[in-house]
Amino acid sequence: MLKWGTEGEDKGQFEWPHSVAVASDGSVYVADNSWRAQKFTSEGVFVTECGTESSGDGESGTPWGVAVASDGIVYVPDNSHRIRKFTSEGDFVMNWGTEGSDDGQFFFPGDVAVAPDGSVYVADSGNNRIQRFTSDGAFLGKWGTYGTGNGQFHQLPGVAVASDGSVYVADSGNNRIQRFTSDGAFLGKWGTEGVSDGQFDRLNGVAVAPEGSVHVTDSGNNRIQRFTSDGVFISQWGTYGMEAGEFRYPVGVEVASDGSVYVADSGNNRIQKFSPVP
């Protein structure tokens, strides 16, 4: 197990880290409540940062998520109701989106995920929907409305895409995970409010491992839960605390190609890395 980070605004420090992504080369990207997304090696050594602290394209705005495509391109949704796109070196490429509820607009996008085919899924949290785009921001489709029914949402801070194209959404207000096809057809759901295995208290992040298992940050219960692709409980770990392996409101989670699990331990202002789960 490995951990890095302390509270602060310097390089390698964090202000409530809430999203983590791993590139195909093992690089780790972290978004926190600052103006940037930071890039690290797989061992936590600072490399560079995406964004600058001023107004303009690709700049300013608190990042609320981060995702990396297979070609190394980095996508960052922020509270300026847009998606920012950077190279792996942190250079600004483009952005898209404005505030609103029309196609291609956002109201506080909470997370982003990149599918194997390169399409980009955005958890448009304030509009209670998922939107899908090309890698250049061309609108492809959407689904979801506010509610408790299948395919409806109440706050969606997390989205992940499996190797088969299935889309998993952390439906936090309803304390459940929902699963869809790449086009938004409902496939299944699991979870209720509680502290037992398979229950959640303010779940946030969701990630899919290479072998298909689904990891969820059960934030209010200070633990990570792991499920099969169909939602059958497998295991869990974590308790409240500041020691290694403990959490204080974990939010983001990602699984690397080698099975290593990275967790944005938000309340402790650090990233924790765990060995592949057997």
Side-chain angles (χ1 to χ4, degrees), residues 141-154:
K142 65 181 179 181
W143 73 87
T145 58
Y146 175 82
T148 61
N150 296 340
Q152 294 185 313
F153 305 109
H154 178 201

Side-chain angles (χ1 to χ4, degrees), residues 6-10 13-19 30-38 53 60-65 76-79 84 109-110 249 251 264 266-267 269-270:
T6 57
E7 183 176 4
E9 296 183 354
D10 291 337
Q13 294 185 314
F14 304 113
E15 292 285 346
W16 196 266
H18 44 68
S19 186
V30 182
D32 67 358
N33 283 348
S34 65
W35 42 265
R36 64 191 175 181
Q38 297 186 71
E53 193 176 12
S60 191
T62 299
W64 282 3
V76 182
D78 69 20
N79 65 353
R84 292 181 286 168
Y249 207 84
V251 176
S266 301
N269 288 293
R270 66 186 181 186

Side-chain angles (χ1 to χ4, degrees), residues 162-174:
S163 58
D164 66 356
S166 298
V167 180
Y168 294 84
V169 181
D171 184 13
S172 185
N174 289 318

Side-chain angles (χ1 to χ4, degrees), residues 40 54 58 97 141 154 172 185 200 232 237 253 276:
F40 301 87
S54 58
H154 178 201
S172 185
F200 304 110
V232 178
W237 74 91
V253 62

Side-chain angles (χ1 to χ4, degrees), residues 2-277:
L2 174 73
K3 57 186 173 71
W4 74 86
T6 57
E7 183 176 4
E9 296 183 354
D10 291 337
K11 295 175 181 178
Q13 294 185 314
F14 304 113
E15 292 285 346
W16 196 266
H18 44 68
S19 186
V20 58
V22 182
S24 57
D25 66 357
S27 300
V28 180
Y29 292 82
V30 182
D32 67 358
N33 283 348
S34 65
W35 42 265
R36 64 191 175 181
Q38 297 186 71
K39 179 183 180 181
F40 301 87
T41 68
S42 60
E43 300 302 309
V45 178
F46 175 83
V47 177
T48 189
E49 53 197 16
C50 302
T52 58
E53 193 176 12
S54 58
S55 60
D57 286 344
E59 304 172 345
S60 191
T62 299
W64 282 3
V66 61
V68 188
S70 60
D71 61 0
I73 292 295
V74 182
Y75 297 89
V76 182
D78 69 20
N79 65 353
S80 295
H81 315 288
R82 64 185 177 182
I83 306 299
R84 292 181 286 168
K85 181 178 177 181
F86 299 90
T87 68
S88 59
E89 290 77 31
D91 297 322
F92 173 73
V93 178
M94 64 171 291
N95 62 36
W96 75 86
T98 56
E99 181 178 359
S101 58
D102 292 336
D103 295 348
Q105 292 186 314
F106 307 108
F107 189 56
F108 295 112
D111 197 16
V112 62
V114 184
D117 66 0
S119 59
V120 179
Y121 291 83
V122 180
D124 186 9
S125 192
N127 286 319
N128 290 290
R129 65 185 181 183
I130 298 292
Q131 293 197 71
R132 183 186 181 199
F133 302 88
T134 67
S135 59
D136 292 325
F139 177 79
L140 294 174
K142 65 181 179 181
W143 73 87
T145 58
Y146 175 82
T148 61
N150 296 340
Q152 294 185 313
F153 305 109
H154 178 201
Q155 301 173 358
L156 51 163
V159 59
V161 185
S163 58
D164 66 356
S166 298
V167 180
Y168 294 84
V169 181
D171 184 13
S172 185
N174 289 318
N175 286 292
R176 66 186 181 184
I177 296 292
Q178 293 196 67
R179 182 187 181 200
F180 303 88
T181 67
S182 59
D183 295 324
F186 177 79
L187 293 175
K189 63 184 178 183
W190 71 87
T192 57
E193 184 176 3
V195 299
S196 299
D197 294 345
Q199 293 186 312
F200 304 110
D201 179 11
R202 289 164 290 165
L203 75 163
N204 272 284
V206 58
V208 184
E211 93 292 341
S213 64
V214 180
H215 294 65
V216 181
T217 51
D218 185 9
S219 304
N221 288 319
N222 292 290
R223 65 185 179 182
I224 305 299
Q225 294 198 67
R226 182 180 176 224
F227 303 88
T228 68
S229 60
D230 295 324
V232 178
F233 175 82
I234 299 174
S235 63
Q236 56 129 319
W237 74 91
T239 57
Y240 177 84
M242 301 173 65
E243 300 300 322
E246 296 179 331
F247 304 110
R248 292 173 62 199
Y249 207 84
V251 176
V253 62
E254 180 70 298
V255 185
S257 58
D258 66 356
S260 299
V261 181
Y262 294 83
V263 179
D265 185 11
S266 301
N268 285 319
N269 288 293
R270 66 186 181 186
I271 297 297
Q272 294 199 65
K273 177 184 179 182
F274 300 88
S275 300
V277 181

